[in-house]
Amino acid sequence: MASEGRAGGVVQHGSTYAAPGEKCVCRGFDCGGVDPVAWCREHGTQAGPVMEWHPGGGLRCTALAGRRAEVAVRR
């Protein structure tokens, strides 16, 4: 299930509402989400990006990863 902020449990990562740029240093996931690091200019503490947080490998993560795979196949 998605949430507005980080929560305990498995690796939480956020789906950004804008694709990460070339200089992003955050760890990426198959669903398109990132695990932001504080010093990243796009997703770090200073940027304060809007993100949808979800647990890695959960239902939401799996659905997003599947959707990204479908789009890649269509291209």
Side-chain angles (χ1 to χ4, degrees):
M1 177 181 340
S3 67
E4 293 180 10
R6 288 183 180 220
V10 297
V11 175
Q12 293 279 328
H13 53 276
S15 298
T16 58
Y17 290 100
E22 294 177 15
K23 295 185 179 183
C24 177
V25 296
C26 301
R27 179 176 151 205
F29 293 87
D30 290 339
C31 65
V34 296
D35 185 11
V37 294
W39 59 88
C40 179
R41 289 185 178 188
E42 296 180 33
H43 308 109
T45 308
Q46 294 292 328
V50 175
M51 300 178 78
E52 174 195 280
W53 295 94
H54 59 271
L59 295 173
R60 180 73 175 146
C61 189
T62 303
L64 290 171
R67 189 175 315 147
R68 286 175 53 97
E70 287 176 16
V71 170
V73 169
R74 282 189 244 154
R75 290 183 183 176

